[in-house]
Amino acid sequence: MSNTKKRIDRGSLITLCIILLIFVVTVVLENTINANSLLFTVIRKGAVYSLVAVSMNLLNGFTGLFSLGQAGFMLLGAYTYAILTIPNSVRDTIYYLFQGSSFHFSLLDIFQGALGETFGLIVAVILACICAGIVAAFFAFLIGLPVLRLKSDYLAIATLGFAEILRAIFQWEKLGKVTNGANALRGYPTFSDFNIKNSSGMIVFRLSSFVPLLLAGICIAIIVLLINSSYGRAFKAIRDDEVAAEAMGINLAKHKQLSFCISSFFAGVGGALFAMFASTVQAKTFTSAMTYEILLIVVIGGIGSISGSCLASFLYIACSEWWLRFLDNTMYIGGTQVPLLRNGFRMVVFSVIIMIVVLFFRQGIMGSRELPDLFRRKRIKEGKSDE
Amino acid sequence: MEFLTSQILSGISLGGQYALIAIGYTMVYGILRLINFAHGDVFMVAGLLMVYMSTVMPIYVSIPLMIVLTVLLGFVIERAAYKPLRSAPRMSVMISAIGVSYLLQNLALYATGGQPKTYASIPWISNTIHIFGAPTRVVTVVTPILVIILVVLLTLLINHTKIGIAMRAVSKDFETSQLMGVKINSVISATFVIGTFLAAVGSLLYFTNYPTVVPMSGALPGLKAFVAAVFGGIGSIPGAVIGAFIIGICETLIKGTDFAVFSDAFTFALLIIILVVKPTGIFGEKTTDKV
């Protein structure tokens, strides 16, 4: 028994080292090579998407609830974050169409006044992220009361509908004083505000890609801990067989509601991070297409694998933002134009790849394995041959 | 009064167009227990095909050709994306449907270059007429009539032909009907062919009322038609038609008020309410869960 324990530790240790290495490499790269490189866009957006994908995986892969409301909860999170942190000094210029905002409370102002520039920023952003998550989780609780009674595809379509309703409400003119109607919110702290500047405003140390990685990493670590706890085991039992799980004394309604709220909490935090990444928030970004995109990431990574979701997010974002970019531009080889290459071709190639994964590699990259398992498997085999 | 008349008329017409899409959803769901997310996009592709073909050939050639091509597309989608997953869990098939929808949208984006395409004006049905003093297009009147004719034909097909009986058998019990010698694959293909045929006709009527087609223009009508199918009781054709008319009329009436922003949201609110109050819909059959 103690022997197995040691092995598990070794596998996790290697994974932990890899993650730490990625963190360090990101910081080093960011401060050495061109900061406008697409690599950093990929890292930032990939970090945000991996958090959202993992939160969706918690629901779809680990609890077996097929929900398509992720974009709606991200929208709630993004708006909560933006509204709470826009400095009061710029609020009226952003809400000019509605003669100023009815909301004169900015976490950023409060904490920067009390704790100083840098420290205040950190506390305000973290608090706002947590608030974003809480708002998303609260709405998830409300909508979960009726819809979690539904089965698979009905649940999917009901949550999808809920996300669409939210989008309509946030674009409503009558709420313009709070949500700025269909117009964008901006001016709140973004990732680039975390770059350390000297007194004359020059950037001396870049942290703008490290911060999203760190924030997403912490949230994902919490989800991993949750999945390995007794709650996580209950979720998996519900996924595998509801009736059997209920017979074993698991309170179905309570655990489903819990999983739904936690997933939405992290989707809300993910929305806040997305707001920081995009530097503007607009309700029309959070469409059902966004949910589908995240769902496809989860599928590519492997339903039921946290590390798969993370890997797939970075791969997906890297392909769509960076590696496949050349497909969108007309190209000449030896004076002849390569056919088909023009704007939009990238996405076509991309969706074909996704269809191939969905049809022929249903397990995705990782199946239901995790990264530590990959390092562990070899040793277990060795152990078996010893016996 | 004139305003109300024209609102109700266009509501009925919109409802009819939704009904034609909703039948495709409800039939596929009845047989495969699959929400065919790609159905709305097939509808959009039908619109785009019409746009492209009407520029190079006369209308009376392009309409039948468009319908044939759309039906072919529906057939190919079923064979390529759903058939390999027949024994897979339901969630995989649904994800595959979402993948197809994503592919069709991106293909459309590539073909159009993101530009809205102007829909061909079809002679006669886009003419303006007056009904009770309210100006409207011929298509508004034609739609409900056409829908009723098609639904009657479809009901006859399902109740009195061999393939119809096979369809009902398969939707009742997939495995038993397979054991009884029903050719599952041809029945499913026939379902998709009928569904996409109706969607193609629906797109012809729908886009006549809307000036342009964009790659996303299938997504929302598709979802609403699905809501209509759920509202009427999924698997039931008359249910889908009635649900679609109710949703179409409500949506147009709301569009005329101050709450126009919520015309789409209303549909989904209705969905959540119906799912909570009566998940089987108006005409749905009661199902029991077996352990």
Side-chain angles (χ1 to χ4, degrees), chain B residues 180-252:
Chain B
M180 295 295 149
V182 175
K183 288 197 184 71
I184 294 280
N185 287 330
S186 54
V187 171
I188 291 172
S189 293
T191 315
F192 272 84
V193 164
I194 295 171
T196 37
F197 167 76
L198 293 175
V201 176
S203 93
L204 203 64
L205 302 169
Y206 182 86
F207 288 113
T208 304
N209 271 338
Y210 290 78
T212 55
V213 188
V214 291
M216 292 305 288
S217 53
L220 216 53
L223 279 177
K224 282 181 192 159
F226 178 75
V227 175
V230 174
F231 187 71
I234 198 124
S236 145
I237 290 169
V241 174
I242 291 171
F245 275 116
I246 292 173
I247 283 177
I249 293 169
C250 290
E251 192 191 316
T252 0

Side-chain angles (χ1 to χ4, degrees), chain A residues 42 48 86 109 111 245 266 281 283 308 314 319:
Chain A
V42 171
V48 176
I86 292 176
D109 287 351
F111 284 101
F266 287 107
V281 176
F314 283 103
C319 287

Side-chain angles (χ1 to χ4, degrees), chain B residues 10 35 50-51 54 88 142 189 212 217 228 241:
Chain B
S10 57
I35 303 176
M50 190 64 201
V51 168
S54 59
V142 169
S189 293
T212 55
S217 53
V241 174

Side-chain angles (χ1 to χ4, degrees), chain A residues 77-97:
Chain A
Y79 266 89
T80 311
Y81 172 79
I83 291 170
L84 282 177
T85 53
I86 292 176
N88 282 329
S89 50
V90 296
R91 219 170 257 271
D92 286 344
T93 53
I94 292 168
Y95 284 85
Y96 72 98
L97 277 176

Side-chain angles (χ1 to χ4, degrees), chain A residues 189-369:
Chain A
T190 60
F191 289 140
S192 52
D193 288 320
F194 286 96
N195 289 334
I196 298 171
K197 294 175 187 150
N198 61 14
S199 50
S200 58
M202 287 279 287
I203 297 170
V204 288
F205 196 69
R206 289 178 193 277
L207 283 174
S208 60
S209 299
F210 172 69
V211 169
L213 268 186
L214 183 71
L215 289 176
I218 293 170
C219 293
I220 292 171
I222 296 173
I223 298 178
V224 170
L225 289 178
L226 176 87
I227 284 171
N228 291 330
S229 73
S230 62
Y231 287 107
R233 284 194 288 277
F235 293 161
K236 285 182 209 164
I238 294 175
R239 168 192 67 186
D240 292 337
D241 193 332
E242 274 192 17
V243 179
E246 200 170 19
M248 285 315 195
I250 293 171
N251 185 338
L252 281 190
K254 193 183 126 199
H255 279 86
K256 280 184 179 177
Q257 183 68 270
L258 191 71
S259 169
F260 192 54
C261 288
I262 293 173
S263 164
S264 309
F265 177 88
F266 287 107
V269 176
L273 293 184
F274 185 80
M276 281 196 253
F277 163 77
S279 75
T280 55
V281 176
Q282 211 167 358
K284 69 173 186 196
T285 341
F286 301 91
T287 53
S288 48
M290 194 176 197
T291 309
Y292 294 161
E293 209 174 47
I294 298 160
L295 176 70
L296 293 173
I297 288 178
V298 173
V299 172
I300 294 171
I303 295 175
S305 166
I306 300 281
S307 38
S309 294
C310 298
L311 268 176
S313 318
F314 283 103
L315 268 179
Y316 183 94
I317 302 293
C319 287
S320 69
E321 302 273 330
W322 192 16
W323 295 336
L324 294 181
R325 267 284 149 105
F326 73 94
L327 291 172
D328 269 5
N329 306 319
T330 40
M331 200 162 57
Y332 294 91
I333 295 175
T336 49
Q337 190 180 341
V338 183
L340 293 173
L341 294 186
R342 80 182 141 92
N343 222 353
F345 190 59
R346 172 178 57 123
M347 292 315 284
V348 174
V349 172
F350 208 53
S351 16
V352 171
I353 296 174
I354 288 172
M355 276 318 290
I356 292 171
V357 171
V358 169
L359 287 178
F360 302 110
F361 304 96
R362 236 178 299 152
Q363 289 287 304
I365 302 174
M366 303 288 281
S368 56
R369 286 170 301 161

Side-chain angles (χ1 to χ4, degrees), chain A residues 164-175:
Chain A
E164 293 290 322
I165 295 173
L166 276 181
R167 203 153 57 87
I169 292 175
F170 274 79
Q171 287 177 321
W172 194 21
E173 293 287 311
K174 296 258 167 64
L175 289 174

